[in-house]
Amino acid sequence: MVPLSWYLIFAAALFSIGLFGVLSRRNAVAILLGVELMLNSVNINLAAFWRYGDVSQMAGQVFAIIVFAVAAAEVAVGLALVISVYRRRNTVVADEINMMKW
Amino acid sequence: MATELLIWLIPLPPVLAFFLIVLLTNRNKALSHTVGVGAAFLSWLGSMVVFVRALGVEHLGEHPFVSSVTWLPLGETTDTYFDIGILVDPTGAAVLFFVAWTIFMIFLYSVGYQNFGQPKGDHDQAGLPPHGATVEEHGHRHRVPSVEPMYSRFFAFLGLFAFGMYVLVLSDNLLTLFVGWEIMGLCSYLLIGFWYAKPSAREAGVKAFMTTRVGDVFMLLGVAYLYSATGTLSFREIFTEGVLHTLATVPSGVLGLSAAGLIGLLLFIGAVGKSAQFPLHVWLPDAMEGPTPVSAMIHAATMVSAGVYLVIRMFPLISLDPTTMAIVAFIGAFTALFSATIAVAQNDIKRVLAYSTISQLGFMIAALGIGAYVAAAFHLITHAFFKALLFLGSGSVIHGMEHGVLHTGDHKVDPQDMFNMGGLRKKMPITFWTFLIGGFALSGFPVLTAGFWSKDEILADAFGHGHWAVFITLAVAAFLTAFYTMRQITLTFLGEPRTKEAEHAQETPWTMTVPLVVLAFFAVTAGWVGIPEHFPALGGLIPNWFHEFVGGTLAEHPEAVEFSIWPLLTSLFVALGGLGLGWLVYRNVKTPAEDRLQIPVLKNKYYFDEIYDYLFVKPAYWFAETVIYKFMDQGVIDGFLHSFGPVTDRFGSAIRNYFDLPVINRFFGDGSANVTYWFGGKLRVVQTGRIQQYLMFALVVFIAVGAALYFFLLA
Amino acid sequence: MNFIDTHLLSLILFVPALAAVIILFLPNGENRVFRWFAFGASFIPFVLSLLVWFRFDANQSGFQFEEIYVWYEAIGSSLHLGVDGLSLTMVLLTTILTPLSILASFSITDRVKAYMILFLLLETGMLGVFMALDLLIFFVFWEVGLVPMYFLINQWGSANRNYASLKFLIYTMGGSLGLLLGIQLLGVLFNTYDLQIITAQWSTYTEDIAGIPASTFKTVAFWAFVIAFAIKVPVWPFHTWLPDAHTEAPTAGSMILAGVLLKLGAYGFLRLILPLYPEQARVFAGALAVLATAAIVFGAFASYAQTDFKRLVAYSSVNHMGFVVLGIAAAGLASGTPDAHIALNGAILQMFNHGLSAAGMFFLVGVIYERTHTRNLNEFGGLFPLVPVYGGILIFTSMASLGLPGLNGFVSEFLVVRGAWPILPVYTAIAMLGLLFTGAYILKGIKMVLHGPLNEHWAPAGGEHKLTEINTREILVMVPLMALILWIGIWPAWILDVINKAVVRLF
């Protein structure tokens, strides 16, 4: 069986890619994609720990499913916001959506 | 009807009449006086029945008519009460007799005096004496007396007054006696001030009430003292040997008097006020402001007698302490002489009688002070009859004179001034003869009149028991009495009319003359019931019934005084001498200027009014207004309270200015706000609005914190 | 019916408050509706208290018609109501006077709704004090009564009303601070505010409290209580709020103020001070007697000095309430003796009597004020022929106030004097000076208003006079008062019996 660390390294890599996407992309939709990646990397971790831990404990799987739900909701709201901003400001560039400042 | 029940009912008709008149019938004059006189008649009838029945009881003193009911629930167990009730013993019966007669006569007389049946006055108004009305008869106009505007009210007041007197006489205890006493006080106030729109009448009413109230508060103390010392106020329970003995032996702690002495003295002060004895005599002459029937009511029959009646009632108690008795005797004798001297110089027909009343009451008080119980009671009764007669007679004279005044239309003539009269015996014969009888009775005209027998008995008692000072004082006073009485009769009735008004004076209607005749009858005969047994010629013809009867009230039957010729000679001399001298001096006097006795000090009543005004009335008002109200209440107390305002204000502003504003507001309040503001201003550059910068920052912090935690905690 | 039977006291207490709330929701508009509704509502407690009076068993000891409701369990206070002979008399007085006062206020035209609401709340406040058997409840109602009175004076009073209402409120509040402190102390000490429990334990309490000897503590608490009640009675020298408040208050306000509010103070003396501090009451009876005598004498003198008719009557209250305190002082000194019982009988009866006669006097002053718009005695004079019925009623009521035998005041004053004389002879004797001047000021009032030459101002020659006679409504206010005055004067047994039995049992 593949050792646990492989999964963890994979998840960390995926998380870092997501983080990089969130921090560096200018398109708001891309930022949302980055967030999705980060969430899914966590899911991988959850599933991996469940599999390598006590299999009879269902908590890891349950958490993963909850994260799916949250991610789906988050994307729904996030995309709705992006569309709303786009309609008003005609842009989806994150740097230009900077009204909430001093 | 049982006698006790009847006695309970006697006081009720007048008070019912009072309420009936006040509430219902006051608009109808005829109905009102019918109610009033009818009530007086019922009470009179009841009194006479009781009196006759009392005569039929043997040893009434030991077995009086008594009955009582529970009144105030007081005390430790649920069935201890303060009882009130009625008592008719010999003294009570004798007093009841004269009270009933005089009250009934005065009610009847008032109908005429207040001009019932006469037309309404032209300009009369409530609160002022009627001024007369103009009527047209047989084609020419003339003035006649007009009816009193407050006619109904007068009978209502008289009714309440009568109620007070009956309550007083019939009470078996001091408390209800005091109730009657004060109700009379109220009525005297209302009746003296009956013509209240006259400032003088208004003042006189207040003066009468206040002066008697001085006595009343002392009396109230006496009653309270007696009640707390004996636990009862019932006469019959107090006048038992054991109670009296205790009272006589317990010291009161005041002036070395025994409890009995102090109680007696306090009660006596009440009597001094009510019976207008020196030094509380000042109200009585002023009380002449009231209508004449009132003067008769107050001065003769009832109210002033109440004081003497109280002393008679409480005699067993008062006589326990020799000091108190000496004071009583002194006050009485002094008053008798003192006011007789004033009476000599008065010109107002009613004022002479007023001072004479004070003087005669002094005789009674002095008699009580020397222990002459029966003589005092005797004089009380005879005096009530002849003095009521004199007052009503003087009212009749004034009425006749007013007729003359209306006829001439000269309202400046005072119808009460004796120097405006003269020769009235022909114009007003009934009034003259009855007045003469009354005057002679007052002077003590020998043998025939009642006044002779009672006054003689007082003098005999004073002489017999060796009270020389009292004897001489009273003898001189008696001489003066005869003198001023004759002066009055001479000036009023004898000689020729001195003014036009006197020429046109007229005899008064039957409602006024009938009471005069009835009272004149008693002024003569009332004395015959008390002729001493050993009196020359007459003694023993009629037994000395009065002494036996009234003396029976006391536990120890008083011994009749040994007969002596000296007091008899004295009273013969003073009565006849005074009358004779009075006639000799005044038969030719025509004007006040010719009267040599018009000495200012006598005329002005020894300036007592002025002295009292200066000593008591003005200082009291000054004390009340300036000291108590302006200085103490408004100055000191309110000043003190008002000082709280500024002090609190200062304190408050000090806190605000030196603590709240600098410390709380500036330092803590404004200070913390300022710091936050400054800090926020400095920090706000961090807020770029770029979400990725925030995330970047969060990542950096996260890593830094994570590194720090790792470094410090794990490593 | 059963509900009424078991909740008599709370019904009496809260019906007025309830009615006040209902009036609040009545639509604005017709003043007549408010007046009659308030009158009707205040009549219910009267009928109920009559019911209580007739069902009351004077021979039974302790409180009757007791009701307990949970109120503030955490600190041991409950809504505990009950009456004995002492408080029942006062409840009856309150429920008699309130409808009469409301009837007397029918002439108020300004903001009738608010006026009636305040008046009904006032009644609840006063009744609560008389019925409370819980110290905290007692205090709450004590203060509740203050507020409506303040607004009544402040809003419907005459010219100087701001000063008077403020003085009234601050003075009474200031006094009750000590009372509150004392009550808190007792509450903390016994972990309950129930009067019966506290009375049983506190009067014999001897342990130290917070290191201070109980006697010292009690003395301080005693004076805190005394001052609170003395201000309310009022005892000299705490009396100067009274003439101001009475004079400035609207007529009905003065009636209630003199008729009932002053009794709260005297009731406090009887209900709290004498039972709670028998020892201190005995020690300081002399001081209390001095103050009482001063109130009697100085009150009479000050009254005599007035030229304002209403102020004259106001000062007469100081004079009359002095007798109540004199009786209480005597009873404090010689607690348990027959003399003390007689003095207290007199004091309690005097409270009731003064309630009747003072309310009547204030009302009559109000009647003449409404017609003449002056209270200055020098501007009246000789009004008797113009208003004979009014004059007769005024003389009658004045005589009751003067203490004329045959009317109610005499019975109570005599009993106080009788009871106080063997205990405090010197003070009683000095108090007689006050009694003498009672006559002086009463006669002065009658003399200046009714008697004497007619003041032309009120009846110009030839013209119609400006003064109208007392009207039927006003006579209806006076009739019950006068009937009671006469009745108690002639046959006081019906009320004195209840008082006497309570007094013998309590003191």
Side-chain angles (χ1 to χ4, degrees):
Chain A
M1 203 162 94
V2 186
L4 177 64
S5 54
W6 288 26
Y7 289 99
L8 297 184
I9 292 164
F10 169 65
L14 201 58
F15 186 87
S16 300
I17 294 165
L19 183 62
F20 175 77
V22 168
L23 291 177
S24 63
R25 295 307 295 258
R26 298 179 64 221
N27 189 318
V29 178
I31 293 173
L32 275 178
L33 287 175
V35 171
E36 287 303 305
L37 281 182
M38 288 160 77
L39 284 170
N40 281 321
S41 71
V42 172
N43 276 348
I44 289 168
N45 268 6
L46 287 168
F49 280 120
W50 164 73
R51 184 61 187 80
Y52 285 85
D54 183 358
V55 184
S56 63
Q57 294 286 321
M58 307 286 283
Q61 278 177 310
V62 171
F63 267 119
I65 290 164
I66 290 174
V67 172
F68 287 152
V70 170
E74 180 244 314
V75 165
V77 175
L79 285 175
L81 280 171
V82 170
I83 290 166
S84 171
V85 167
Y86 180 73
R87 281 192 185 146
R88 285 189 171 239
R89 311 277 315 256
N90 220 9
T91 177
V92 288
V93 177
D95 280 359
E96 290 173 11
I97 311 168
N98 62 351
M99 285 178 72
M100 289 183 55
K101 63 174 182 182
W102 53 272
Chain B
M1 204 187 312
T3 313
E4 281 80 7
L5 179 63
L6 186 61
I7 298 171
W8 277 106
L9 293 178
I10 288 175
L12 293 185
V15 76
L16 290 180
F18 167 75
F19 283 112
L20 215 58
I21 295 173
V22 167
L23 296 177
L24 297 174
T25 71
N26 59 52
R27 304 210 180 275
N28 187 328
K29 292 184 166 56
L31 204 55
S32 296
H33 82 213
T34 312
V35 170
V37 177
F41 172 73
L42 284 180
S43 292
W44 171 84
L45 195 65
S47 306
M48 287 309 118
V49 171
V50 169
F51 182 69
V52 170
R53 288 192 191 169
L55 292 185
V57 178
E58 268 188 65
H59 302 298
L60 184 65
E62 287 150 44
H63 313 287
F65 295 120
V66 284
S67 160
S68 63
V69 294
T70 55
W71 193 50
L72 292 179
L74 288 177
E76 310 315 299
T77 55
T78 45
D79 53 352
T80 45
Y81 280 89
F82 180 80
D83 293 352
I84 58 171
I86 47 103
L87 165 73
V88 172
D89 58 4
T91 308
V95 173
L96 185 64
F97 177 77
F98 87 75
V99 165
W101 271 105
T102 45
I103 285 180
F104 182 39
M105 288 303 119
I106 288 165
F107 266 81
L108 191 59
Y109 178 90
S110 302
V111 175
Y113 187 82
Q114 300 286 30
N115 299 321
F116 180 74
Q118 298 288 352
K120 247 176 120 168
D122 303 337
H123 306 292
D124 284 354
Q125 70 180 68
L128 286 174
H131 295 299
T134 315
V135 288
E136 261 189 68
E137 231 174 76
H138 314 300
H140 61 269
R141 295 150 65 85
H142 59 125
R143 309 258 306 157
V144 294
S146 56
V147 68
E148 165 62 44
M150 299 183 293
Y151 186 79
S152 305
R153 187 182 301 183
F154 188 73
F155 280 94
F157 289 170
L158 283 188
L160 191 59
F161 199 114
F163 168 71
M165 190 63 198
Y166 280 121
V167 167
L168 181 121
V169 174
L170 297 173
S171 289
D172 80 333
N173 66 83
L174 260 177
L175 194 68
T176 39
L177 183 145
F178 189 69
V179 170
W181 176 280
E182 285 282 293
I183 288 175
M184 280 199 290
L186 166 72
C187 292
S188 75
Y189 162 72
L190 292 172
L191 284 168
I192 292 167
F194 185 69
W195 287 314
Y196 50 76
K198 274 164 59 183
S200 57
R202 169 174 84 160
E203 300 303 331
V206 174
K207 188 173 176 182
F209 199 107
M210 285 312 297
T211 318
T212 49
R213 197 171 169 83
V214 172
D216 292 350
V217 297
F218 283 103
M219 180 171 164
L220 187 63
L221 269 190
V223 174
Y225 192 179
L226 182 61
Y227 189 8
S228 49
T230 63
T232 176
L233 286 177
S234 158
F235 298 130
R236 281 166 59 77
E237 286 171 34
I238 294 168
F239 300 147
T240 51
E241 213 165 306
V243 174
L244 289 178
H245 182 73
T246 324
L247 285 175
T249 45
V250 173
S252 69
V254 179
L255 300 171
L257 289 167
S258 64
L262 186 60
I263 294 170
L265 196 60
L266 288 168
L267 295 178
F268 176 65
I269 296 174
V272 166
K274 209 64 161 183
S275 285
Q277 296 297 289
F278 173 86
L280 297 177
H281 63 279
V282 290
W283 65 271
L284 200 137
D286 285 19
M288 294 301 138
E289 287 292 342
T292 303
V294 173
S295 309
M297 189 89 149
I298 294 173
H299 297 98
T302 54
M303 196 168 113
V304 292
S305 309
V308 178
Y309 177 73
L310 173 72
V311 181
I312 289 177
R313 261 279 166 248
M314 301 310 292
F315 185 76
L317 178 81
I318 291 174
S319 58
L320 288 176
D321 196 301
T323 321
T324 310
M325 286 294 269
I327 295 173
V328 172
F330 170 77
I331 295 275
F334 180 77
T335 310
L337 181 61
F338 155 86
S339 56
T341 57
I342 301 179
V344 167
Q346 300 300 316
N347 294 340
D348 184 314
I349 186 168
K350 275 167 76 181
R351 273 184 189 263
V352 176
L353 293 175
Y355 281 104
S356 142
T357 306
I358 301 176
S359 170
Q360 295 302 307
L361 292 166
F363 271 84
M364 300 167 209
I365 296 286
L368 286 165
I370 57 173
Y373 176 85
V374 176
F378 194 19
H379 197 52
L380 177 71
I381 291 165
T382 58
H383 172 257
F385 282 121
F386 63 67
K387 193 48 73 64
L389 168 61
L390 285 172
F391 268 114
L392 295 185
S394 75
S396 179
V397 168
I398 295 165
H399 212 258
M401 283 296 289
E402 271 168 355
H403 208 274
V405 170
L406 283 175
H407 186 86
T408 59
D410 181 3
H411 287 284
K412 289 204 184 75
V413 176
D414 181 0
Q416 306 201 165
D417 191 334
M418 294 190 294
F419 283 97
N420 291 335
M421 302 174 187
L424 291 183
R425 74 181 178 285
K426 288 176 203 147
K427 307 282 173 196
M428 313 176 72
I430 304 176
T431 308
F432 167 63
W433 285 108
T434 51
F435 198 94
L436 192 71
I437 292 169
F440 275 19
L442 172 62
S443 316
F445 188 79
V447 182
L448 262 180
T449 63
F452 169 73
W453 298 110
S454 55
K455 211 179 278 184
D456 179 57
E457 200 171 328
I458 293 177
L459 288 175
D461 260 304
F463 185 84
H465 294 110
H467 295 282
W468 293 105
V470 173
F471 177 73
I472 293 168
T473 317
L474 292 186
V476 175
F479 177 79
L480 286 174
T481 306
F483 176 76
Y484 65 67
T485 306
M486 200 58 206
R487 169 178 180 261
Q488 189 176 29
I489 292 170
T490 313
L491 286 176
T492 310
F493 292 101
L494 304 184
E496 292 304 316
R498 284 186 291 275
T499 54
K500 268 214 192 95
E501 285 72 22
E503 274 172 38
H504 290 97
Q506 235 180 38
E507 184 59 284
T508 44
W510 71 269
T511 45
M512 292 170 75
T513 48
V514 167
L516 292 181
V517 173
V518 171
L519 291 173
F521 170 74
F522 285 112
V524 173
T525 55
W528 296 349
V529 298
I531 299 173
E533 237 166 283
H534 303 290
F535 196 82
L538 289 170
L541 282 182
I542 316 168
N544 192 351
W545 170 84
F546 191 82
H547 190 92
E548 288 300 316
F549 184 67
V550 171
T553 313
L554 297 180
E556 281 175 61
H557 201 282
E559 280 298 307
V561 71
E562 192 99 349
F563 180 77
S564 160
I565 197 74
W566 292 109
L568 174 63
L569 287 181
T570 315
S571 55
L572 281 178
F573 170 74
V574 295
L576 295 175
L579 287 171
L581 191 67
W583 185 70
L584 284 174
V585 171
Y586 284 96
R587 79 200 144 127
N588 292 321
V589 173
K590 299 275 182 288
T591 59
E594 291 171 42
D595 187 353
R596 299 232 192 105
L597 282 170
Q598 303 273 328
I599 308 163
V601 71
L602 293 182
K603 194 124 185 67
N604 290 306
K605 319 143 210 168
Y606 296 102
Y607 300 101
F608 261 96
D609 283 345
E610 289 76 8
I611 293 169
Y612 281 2
D613 198 43
Y614 193 73
L615 277 185
F616 300 114
V617 181
K618 290 223 170 82
Y621 194 74
W622 173 82
F623 184 70
E625 182 167 33
T626 313
V627 178
I628 299 288
Y629 183 56
K630 296 245 167 78
F631 174 72
M632 195 177 78
D633 272 16
Q634 296 209 311
V636 178
I637 296 179
D638 266 359
F640 177 68
L641 291 178
H642 290 167
S643 72
F644 275 115
V647 167
T648 319
D649 192 58
R650 291 263 168 76
F651 185 65
S653 50
I655 288 180
R656 177 169 169 75
N657 290 329
Y658 301 111
F659 186 75
D660 276 14
L661 285 181
V663 179
I664 307 281
N665 273 11
R666 296 266 152 69
F667 187 75
F668 288 108
D670 294 357
S672 58
N674 287 342
V675 166
T676 315
Y677 184 79
W678 174 85
F679 208 67
K682 295 295 168 203
L683 274 178
R684 71 183 192 181
V685 288
V686 182
Q687 303 284 327
T688 59
R690 294 201 177 95
I691 187 96
Q692 283 163 322
Q693 276 184 11
Y694 296 163
L695 283 172
M696 203 54 214
F697 188 66
L699 186 67
V700 170
V701 171
F702 179 74
I703 290 169
V705 170
L709 283 176
Y710 178 80
F711 183 75
F712 287 113
L713 294 180
L714 297 181
Chain C
M1 228 32 217
N2 201 21
F3 177 80
I4 294 177
D5 285 347
T6 49
H7 297 76
L8 265 174
L9 290 189
S10 41
L11 276 175
I12 295 176
L13 179 58
F14 291 115
V15 160
L18 196 67
V21 174
I22 294 174
I23 291 185
L24 188 64
F25 291 109
L26 286 180
N28 277 317
E30 277 291 299
N31 286 341
R32 219 155 33 108
V33 177
F34 301 131
R35 286 176 188 151
W36 283 106
F37 187 82
F39 179 67
S42 66
F43 211 77
I44 297 171
F46 169 62
V47 173
L48 291 178
S49 58
L50 276 187
L51 202 62
V52 172
W53 179 268
F54 288 118
R55 289 198 191 167
F56 184 80
D57 179 9
N59 293 316
Q60 195 181 321
S61 68
F63 293 92
Q64 298 179 35
F65 303 97
E66 275 188 82
E67 291 175 39
I68 296 193
Y69 304 102
V70 177
W71 186 62
Y72 200 160
E73 229 173 356
I75 59 167
S77 173
S78 57
L79 183 61
H80 189 178
L81 307 175
V83 287
D84 61 356
L86 166 60
S87 43
L88 182 56
T89 327
M90 292 297 114
V91 168
L92 190 66
L93 176 68
T94 313
T95 52
I96 289 173
L97 282 183
T98 312
L100 294 180
S101 304
I102 288 178
L103 192 60
S105 345
F106 274 27
S107 53
I108 297 267
T109 50
D110 177 33
R111 286 167 294 163
V112 177
K113 185 176 179 178
Y115 183 93
M116 292 303 170
I117 290 174
L118 289 171
F119 226 97
L120 290 168
L121 288 178
L122 181 63
E123 184 179 15
T124 294
M126 297 181 302
L127 287 171
V129 174
F130 292 136
M131 292 178 184
L133 293 183
D134 182 283
L135 280 176
L136 204 61
I137 294 289
F138 179 92
F139 186 79
V140 166
F141 281 111
W142 174 272
E143 298 283 307
V144 162
L146 273 183
V147 181
M149 199 68 227
Y150 169 77
F151 284 109
L152 285 176
I153 300 175
N154 190 268
Q155 296 297 309
W156 287 270
S158 47
N160 200 11
R161 57 185 189 232
N162 277 328
Y163 171 77
S165 56
L166 190 69
K167 197 171 178 180
F168 165 72
L169 190 78
I170 295 203
Y171 218 141
T172 326
M173 292 274 271
S176 50
L177 285 184
L179 179 66
L180 179 61
L181 214 61
I183 287 177
Q184 294 296 2
L185 166 84
L186 294 176
V188 169
L189 209 57
F190 297 109
N191 206 23
T192 176
Y193 287 92
D194 197 282
L195 187 60
Q196 286 162 296
I197 302 174
I198 291 179
T199 313
Q201 299 183 4
W202 176 242
S203 51
T204 53
Y205 195 85
T206 49
E207 288 165 46
D208 286 7
I209 302 161
I212 304 168
S215 60
T216 317
F217 220 103
K218 279 188 175 181
T219 305
V220 174
F222 169 76
W223 279 107
F225 274 64
V226 166
I227 287 175
F229 297 136
I231 287 175
K232 200 85 170 189
V233 170
V235 178
W236 189 91
F238 306 110
H239 66 286
T240 53
W241 66 268
L242 182 139
D244 286 316
H246 280 56
T247 311
E248 301 304 331
T251 299
S254 311
M255 286 170 73
I256 286 293
L257 204 50
V260 185
L261 278 188
L262 303 188
K263 275 60 187 188
L264 298 183
Y267 179 77
F269 270 104
L270 294 166
R271 175 101 296 154
L272 299 184
I273 291 182
L274 287 186
L276 287 178
Y277 305 95
E279 188 57 29
Q280 283 70 21
R282 200 173 51 73
V283 175
F284 297 110
L288 214 52
V290 170
L291 298 186
T293 314
I296 294 171
V297 175
F298 295 153
F301 270 112
S303 181
Y304 182 54
Q306 301 307 319
T307 50
D308 182 323
F309 195 14
K310 205 168 179 185
R311 202 169 261 271
L312 185 148
V313 178
Y315 264 112
S316 80
S317 290
V318 179
N319 172 252
H320 287 132
M321 292 305 285
F323 278 100
V324 175
V325 182
L326 184 67
I328 291 170
L333 189 62
S335 174
T337 62
D339 290 331
H341 291 158
I342 292 178
L344 279 180
N345 274 328
I348 297 168
L349 189 60
Q350 171 83 346
M351 283 159 72
F352 194 86
N353 290 340
H354 176 254
L356 300 175
S357 59
M361 282 305 283
F362 275 115
F363 177 68
L364 291 172
V365 174
V367 168
I368 198 88
Y369 178 71
E370 263 171 33
R371 287 159 175 69
T372 60
H373 302 288
T374 178
R375 294 187 308 246
N376 190 336
L377 286 170
N378 295 318
E379 291 177 26
F380 298 126
L383 302 186
F384 210 166
L386 305 186
V387 284
V389 177
Y390 173 80
I393 295 175
L394 179 65
I395 290 179
F396 180 91
T397 319
S398 300
M399 286 304 144
S401 181
L402 180 146
L404 186 83
L407 302 178
N408 61 358
F410 171 72
V411 181
S412 49
E413 273 171 22
F414 173 72
L415 289 178
V416 170
V417 171
R418 155 68 185 86
W421 167 262
I423 305 170
L424 302 159
V426 177
Y427 298 117
T428 314
I430 297 172
M432 289 296 107
L433 190 62
L435 210 53
L436 175 65
F437 270 82
T438 307
Y441 67 72
I442 292 285
L443 295 190
K444 176 180 170 175
I446 296 176
K447 172 179 129 180
M448 304 282 269
V449 177
L450 296 177
H451 291 170
L454 179 59
N455 187 337
E456 295 292 323
H457 181 72
W458 308 116
E464 213 27 49
H465 64 74
K466 294 179 188 168
L467 229 54
T468 46
E469 179 63 287
I470 184 167
N471 63 34
T472 314
R473 174 182 61 83
E474 288 159 341
I475 291 176
L476 277 180
V477 174
M478 285 310 294
V479 164
L481 292 178
M482 300 198 325
L484 277 172
I485 284 172
L486 193 63
W487 188 16
I488 296 179
I490 293 172
W491 204 258
W494 65 276
I495 185 163
L496 201 58
D497 189 43
V498 172
I499 296 173
N500 180 47
K501 281 173 181 155
V503 162
V504 169
R505 218 170 282 123
L506 284 173
F507 303 103

